[in-house]
Amino acid sequence: MAQTEKKAGLLRRTSSSKKPLKEKVLLMYEDIFTEDPTKSNPRFWDELFLMKVNLEHLEGKLEALDGDEVVKIRDNINSLFHHCVQALAEEHQIKVVNALQTLCALFRGVHQKNKSATGFDIINMLMGFDKAELRMKELMESLDSLLCGDGSESLKSLCLKLLLCLVTVTDNISQNTILEYVMINSIFEAILQILSDVSSRARHGYDAVVLLALLVNYRKYESVNPYIVKLSIVDDEPTLDGMGRVIHHALAEYNRQYKEKEEENQGGFFSTLTSMVGSMFIADADEKLSVQTNEAILLALYEAVHLNRNFITVLAQSHPEIDIATAPAVPIPASPTTPLGTTPPSLDMMNNPELPLDPNLQTSNLLITFLKYSSIVMQDTKDEHRLNSARLCLIILTCIAEDQYADAFLHDDNMNFRVNLHRMPMRHRKKAVDKSIPSRPLVCAVLDLMVEFIVTHMMKEFPMDLYVRCVQIIHKLICYQKKCRVRIHYTWRELWSALINLLKFLLSNETSLLSKHNIFQLALQVVNLFNMFITYGDTFLPTPSSYDELYYEIIRMHQVFDNLYCMVLRVSANAGPWKEPASKVTQALVNARAIINHFNPKIESYATVNHISQLSEDQVRSISLNVRKNVSLSTMSQDVLLKEFSSIS
């Protein structure tokens, strides 16, 4: 036994005394960072691209360089970049793969080393400023050829990964000066070709869509971006449909993952514990249900909806709603990076043209999937990441609500859907049963989503800009209904109640909110929304009794309107930064106050005569119905109201 241990110990000492062997590729990297490697080996560059790339080591060497070393070996780095680009034209696929990965390491390593350097310095270090235009032209042409050619899918995937790496090496995409060459040497057509082909889209659609969304955002407000111009005029149906399917699948995959986690938690130990001690652990439940959001795909959806009016039709294309199974990933060479920290969804099963058309199967579309996604993301806005996601969702919904075709589809009574929106757990309400949701026009789901947001986000860290956008979306939908005289059967009372409670919250937290926000802007939007219902409700409310419900809600919650009037009157009477916005709210409250001042005495008189301490809803509505015909409201003129309305929308 002792002899065995002695032998083992001797073996350990013998092996540890030897120097560890280095990979040949590491020795070749050392040559690049010391002197001209071709002096000792004329075939150096041919051999380098036959070696498996060590990304971590190469990036580390680049990051570790100091100022003097950078100047000393700049020509070698320029030469490495040049030979990488040349290798992309090789017939040997191993060389092409290694060249693509080496380029990724070069882009990342040089940018990490020179975060504070100007874009011109980085270009000079990578390829030499005098030769940069030629080198980037050759690179982009090679990538375009590989993406559009009949080569392997693995190579196409690596090309997209390289482009994503190039685009995302800086925190602010507009500060990435190298992208000027990507603007000049466009790969827009190659991206469209990937999206229009079913097979290519299944493998590379996600990366292609994210890449396009990022390129569109390069200096979009500073100069003419050719990708913006080209995307705005795309009218090829297969291409737009392909883009929509990629976005739809990514959002649907998120919804599926969230639903799985939700079902897990409902059936496990946590569910039992919560039922025992009440709902004190609701916040913990939300954390457990947290699924990483996908801002990249949201950005792509925004750009498509915002820039291309033809894409609106893609939102409405229906297909059977099926559970998306996770398909095995297509094997590709090791990717140097995962862009934006997101993981591409599994294979696009929705590309299958032979889906079962079961008449009993619920149909879906991209818009429905997006609404479900939004209902999940908008539940929790406490951290900045999710707040930005919710903001982007509301911006997309604003673009949709502003589009005439989208509004027509949303309000089409012949196109009904059952949309199961996710609702935030709250102590004072039971969770809605999915089966109880009726099949309705999609505008009802949008309004439900807005009401849900209004009700669930009255908190200390008040998301003011999200509330403004939310109320604006409701405004735009009501404007369409008024203009086209569309009457939808919706529970308007829930919306009115939510809006009044929002005003109540603003009043209760006036001091703390005014130190951060202009609450009068939001209050004015809400009051003008009530003015729309009061003044034009006969053009879009479904029944005459809807008016009675509106008047009842205003009278029932008259204290809120009275308190709001007192508050804005007080603020507008004093000189200060809020004088003018408060004055606008004072003027806008004319209609609501006229209703309250006219009906309240009648109701009080009825209660006194009949010795009733508290009137029922039916009694109040009956009084309202009898006297409303004689009321003469000082309603704002249509011109004034619409002018005010357009200014805040």
Side-chain angles (χ1 to χ4, degrees):
M1 180 79 173
Q3 189 176 0
T4 306
E5 289 178 357
K6 185 177 180 182
K7 285 182 178 179
L10 287 171
L11 284 172
R12 283 197 296 273
R13 282 198 298 272
T14 305
S15 60
S16 63
S17 64
K18 291 182 178 180
K19 291 183 179 179
L21 294 174
K22 277 191 175 182
E23 298 176 53
K24 184 177 180 181
V25 70
L26 300 187
L27 295 172
M28 298 182 82
Y29 291 158
E30 296 290 344
D31 291 339
I32 296 173
F33 286 90
T34 53
E35 57 183 11
D36 183 359
T38 58
K39 285 183 179 179
S40 57
N41 182 4
R43 292 184 52 80
F44 177 86
W45 298 113
D46 289 331
E47 293 177 6
L48 176 65
F49 295 111
L50 290 172
M51 302 288 112
K52 185 178 179 180
V53 179
N54 191 319
L55 289 167
E56 185 178 353
H57 183 83
L58 182 53
E59 285 184 44
K61 292 289 289 183
L62 287 164
E63 290 180 38
L65 294 173
D66 60 31
D68 294 335
E69 289 175 324
V70 168
V71 175
K72 184 178 178 182
I73 67 159
R74 191 186 68 194
D75 290 341
N76 287 5
I77 295 175
N78 290 173
S79 185
L80 175 58
F81 188 95
H82 173 52
H83 284 92
C84 282
V85 174
Q86 283 190 323
L88 296 182
E90 294 275 357
E91 293 184 4
H92 205 307
Q93 285 204 0
I94 290 179
K95 285 189 174 183
V96 179
V97 168
N98 290 330
L100 288 169
Q101 293 192 339
T102 303
L103 283 167
C104 281
L106 275 173
F107 283 126
R108 283 212 303 266
V110 170
H111 276 86
Q112 286 297 317
K113 171 62 187 174
N114 298 274
K115 284 187 175 180
S116 60
T118 65
F120 299 116
D121 291 336
I122 289 173
I123 291 171
N124 199 33
M125 183 178 177
L126 271 173
M127 56 196 100
F129 197 71
D130 56 332
K131 297 179 181 177
E133 190 171 345
L134 175 62
R135 295 285 180 265
M136 286 301 297
K137 184 175 185 294
E138 292 171 347
L139 173 61
M140 297 306 295
E141 286 178 350
S142 295
L143 293 176
D144 186 78
S145 178
L146 289 169
L147 288 172
C148 297
D150 298 327
S152 71
E153 300 300 331
S154 300
L155 278 180
K156 291 183 180 181
S157 180
L158 270 179
C159 287
L160 288 169
K161 296 295 184 187
L162 171 59
L163 286 164
L164 284 168
C165 173
L166 171 58
V167 171
T168 57
V169 286
T170 56
D171 294 333
N172 184 342
I173 191 172
S174 294
Q175 293 176 354
N176 189 351
T177 313
I178 296 178
L179 292 187
E180 287 292 340
Y181 301 109
V182 183
M183 297 293 115
I184 297 169
N185 304 285
S186 175
I187 52 163
F188 183 81
E189 286 70 23
I191 294 174
L192 293 195
Q193 183 172 317
I194 290 170
L195 295 175
S196 62
D197 181 75
V198 175
S199 177
S200 291
R201 180 171 67 238
R203 292 179 173 85
H204 316 297
Y206 181 86
D207 284 346
V209 165
V210 171
L211 176 61
L212 180 58
L214 291 171
L215 289 172
V216 162
N217 278 274
Y218 176 71
R219 297 185 178 176
K220 63 188 301 184
Y221 302 116
E222 301 169 26
S223 58
V224 177
N225 183 322
Y227 290 87
I228 292 178
V229 177
K230 291 181 179 181
L231 179 59
S232 65
I233 59 175
V234 173
D235 59 358
D236 181 61
E237 189 174 339
T239 302
L240 294 174
D241 180 61
M243 187 184 301
R245 286 177 180 271
V246 171
I247 295 171
H248 175 269
H249 183 73
L251 297 179
E253 180 68 14
Y254 176 92
N255 296 347
R256 183 189 65 79
Q257 290 177 13
Y258 182 87
K259 188 176 180 181
E260 283 183 357
K261 283 201 171 188
E262 190 178 41
E263 291 172 352
E264 256 177 47
N265 288 341
Q266 286 175 353
F269 168 75
F270 180 78
S271 177
T272 306
L273 182 64
T274 303
S275 64
M276 289 172 59
V277 296
S279 52
M280 64 174 66
F281 294 114
I282 282 178
D284 296 334
D286 292 341
E287 288 177 15
K288 287 196 172 189
L289 287 175
S290 178
V291 181
Q292 186 180 8
T293 52
N294 195 333
E295 282 71 31
I297 217 70
L298 273 186
L299 181 64
L301 177 58
Y302 165 71
E303 296 298 352
V305 170
H306 175 62
L307 293 175
N308 192 303
R309 294 204 64 188
N310 299 314
F311 188 80
I312 293 294
T313 61
V314 176
L315 294 173
Q317 290 178 2
S318 299
H319 53 71
E321 187 175 43
I322 63 174
D323 289 331
I324 303 172
T326 304
V330 180
I332 60 173
S335 169
T337 185
T338 302
L340 302 182
T342 59
T343 305
S346 55
L347 202 63
D348 189 357
M349 295 183 68
M350 297 308 295
N351 285 324
N352 184 3
E354 299 183 2
L355 287 169
L357 296 177
D358 184 347
N360 298 318
L361 193 64
Q362 169 69 16
T363 55
S364 182
N365 55 43
L366 174 54
L367 185 53
I368 292 174
T369 303
F370 170 66
L371 290 174
K372 291 180 180 178
Y373 178 93
S374 300
S375 70
I376 297 171
V377 169
M378 288 162 58
Q379 286 184 36
D380 179 16
T381 58
K382 291 179 182 177
D383 66 271
E384 188 175 0
H385 182 76
R386 286 185 165 268
L387 180 69
N388 289 331
S389 289
R391 182 179 292 112
L392 190 47
C393 286
L394 288 172
I395 291 173
I396 293 169
L397 280 171
T398 302
C399 292
I400 292 171
E402 288 174 342
D403 186 270
Q404 189 84 0
Y405 178 84
D407 282 330
F409 172 73
L410 286 172
H411 292 83
D412 191 344
D413 199 35
N414 296 315
M415 302 287 285
N416 294 330
F417 299 90
R418 186 176 290 108
V419 184
N420 300 321
L421 298 175
H422 294 264
R423 305 181 76 199
M424 185 185 294
M426 297 183 76
R427 293 179 178 86
H428 65 276
R429 68 179 184 188
K430 295 180 180 179
K431 184 175 179 181
V433 181
D434 291 348
K435 292 182 180 178
S436 66
I437 299 173
S439 185
R440 305 172 296 173
L442 277 178
V443 67
C444 296
V446 178
L447 290 170
D448 282 347
L449 183 62
M450 298 300 100
V451 170
E452 175 68 11
F453 182 86
I454 291 171
V455 170
T456 56
H457 289 77
M458 299 178 202
M459 52 193 178
K460 185 178 179 181
E461 295 299 323
F462 188 66
M464 178 69 175
D465 66 320
L466 268 60
Y467 267 96
V468 170
R469 291 187 184 280
C470 182
V471 178
Q472 282 177 349
I473 291 168
I474 300 171
H475 275 168
K476 294 177 189 302
L477 295 174
I478 297 300
C479 278
Y480 176 83
Q481 293 169 23
K482 171 196 168 294
K483 178 182 176 182
C484 299
R485 295 184 174 270
V486 177
R487 301 180 189 275
I488 61 168
H489 292 278
Y490 182 72
T491 50
W492 291 111
R493 190 169 183 172
E494 290 184 7
L495 172 62
W496 299 329
S497 177
L499 292 172
I500 293 172
N501 283 325
L502 174 56
L503 291 177
K504 188 176 180 181
F505 175 82
L506 296 179
L507 285 167
S508 302
N509 298 273
E510 174 194 350
T511 305
S512 60
L513 289 176
L514 269 180
S515 64
K516 302 176 183 177
H517 311 292
N518 177 7
I519 62 172
F520 301 106
Q521 176 193 9
L522 181 57
L524 180 62
Q525 282 186 295
V526 173
V527 173
N528 271 342
L529 193 50
F530 274 104
N531 285 332
M532 287 291 290
F533 280 101
I534 295 168
T535 311
Y536 304 113
D538 60 317
T539 63
F540 60 85
L541 287 175
T543 61
S545 63
S546 300
Y547 247 125
D548 297 332
E549 291 181 359
L550 170 64
Y551 277 51
Y552 174 75
E553 282 300 310
I554 294 174
I555 295 167
R556 184 176 71 89
M557 301 297 289
H558 70 90
Q559 197 69 47
V560 175
F561 291 98
D562 291 341
N563 291 343
L564 177 62
Y565 181 75
C566 291
M567 188 262 277
V568 295
L569 196 62
R570 167 172 48 84
V571 174
S572 61
N574 300 321
W578 309 121
K579 180 180 176 67
E580 186 178 348
S583 298
K584 290 183 178 180
V585 181
T586 306
Q587 297 168 12
L589 279 167
V590 169
N591 289 340
R593 295 192 69 246
I595 292 172
I596 293 166
N597 293 336
H598 185 86
F599 283 98
N600 265 0
K602 305 287 185 184
I603 293 170
E604 290 172 4
S605 173
Y606 181 89
T608 303
V609 170
N610 293 278
H611 306 288
I612 302 173
S613 59
Q614 188 173 354
L615 273 67
S616 67
E617 179 181 343
D618 288 338
Q619 288 172 322
V620 173
R621 290 176 62 179
S622 176
I623 297 168
S624 168
L625 181 62
N626 289 333
V627 301
R628 182 154 50 87
K629 294 178 182 179
N630 301 320
V631 70
S632 177
L633 298 177
S634 301
T635 52
M636 301 167 70
S637 69
Q638 293 186 10
D639 292 339
V640 173
L641 182 56
L642 289 178
K643 182 180 179 182
E644 186 66 36
F645 193 87
S646 61
S647 68
I648 61 175
S649 298

